[in-house]
Amino acid sequence: MSHFHRNIIITSIGHFLVHSMTMILPAILVVLEKEFSVSLIYLGELATIQILFLGIGGFPAGFLTERYGSRIVLLIYFAGLIISALWIYFSTTFNMVAIGLGFLGLVTGLYHPAGLKMVSYSPNISRYMGYHGISGSLGLAAGPIFGSWMANCLGWRSAYLFLGGLA
């Protein structure tokens, strides 16, 4: 397998994970409402925390990618997914879940500058960008389906743990 094929596989998995892990939350909001006995306002704040930190994570991501390279930033990204998935899995309080989702958002904010830079250095940029885009779209579609399915079968925490294990 060539260097470029390996890169597109890694970046496609990374792009899938960004979108699937952030889209689990909308599918499990009702479950969280019942488990933690919180109002819809608190659940809205939870979603805001995750998305806000995703945006905040994007600010240093470009700088870090330019300074240290895509590979280092992607290693931090994948390690961060594992850590946040474990944190969320072992969370016992609503505040712990909020911290875990905030960290997940911060880490997922690292992906796009590093992943897109890596893909842009491939010899078939258009084709590889297409593969990359498809994997992100599949993550957007799979995240809520997977999150709700896991919530029904093994509990909502397992959805994060499984995708963190994929990282």
Side-chain angles (χ1 to χ4, degrees):
M1 179 181 298
S2 77
H3 171 72
F4 295 114
H5 287 113
R6 223 180 2 239
N7 284 350
I8 193 61
I9 290 170
I10 290 167
T11 55
S12 292
I13 291 170
H15 200 207
F16 175 85
L17 288 172
V18 164
H19 294 294
S20 60
M21 288 186 82
T22 56
M23 291 304 293
I24 291 171
L25 181 60
I28 63 168
L29 285 175
V30 174
V31 176
L32 295 177
E33 178 186 25
K34 289 179 183 173
E35 180 173 332
F36 294 112
S37 300
V38 294
S39 70
L40 290 176
I41 292 173
Y42 283 116
L43 294 173
E45 290 174 357
L46 194 63
T48 301
I49 288 168
Q50 177 180 294
I51 299 304
L52 176 68
F53 278 97
L54 191 150
I56 290 171
F59 284 122
F63 170 75
L64 292 171
T65 300
E66 288 297 318
R67 183 165 177 102
Y68 300 108
S70 295
R71 291 185 188 280
I72 297 296
V73 175
L74 287 176
L75 283 172
I76 294 168
Y77 161 72
F78 283 114
L81 288 182
I82 295 166
I83 292 166
S84 62
L86 287 170
W87 179 276
I88 292 168
Y89 183 77
F90 289 111
S91 293
T92 56
T93 66
F94 186 78
N95 288 335
M96 287 177 71
V97 173
I99 291 167
L101 289 172
F103 185 69
L104 175 66
L106 191 64
V107 168
T108 54
L110 295 174
Y111 176 76
H112 284 94
L116 288 170
K117 183 176 182 182
M118 186 175 279
V119 173
S120 70
Y121 284 114
S122 64
N124 302 311
I125 296 172
S126 298
R127 182 172 40 152
Y128 287 166
M129 281 291 181
Y131 296 152
H132 185 262
I134 288 168
S135 66
S137 296
L138 289 173
L140 284 170
I145 294 168
F146 181 72
S148 61
W149 178 67
M150 289 297 280
N152 285 325
C153 294
L154 299 173
W156 63 270
R157 290 173 176 86
S158 298
Y160 289 101
L161 187 65
F162 180 82
L163 291 178
L166 183 59

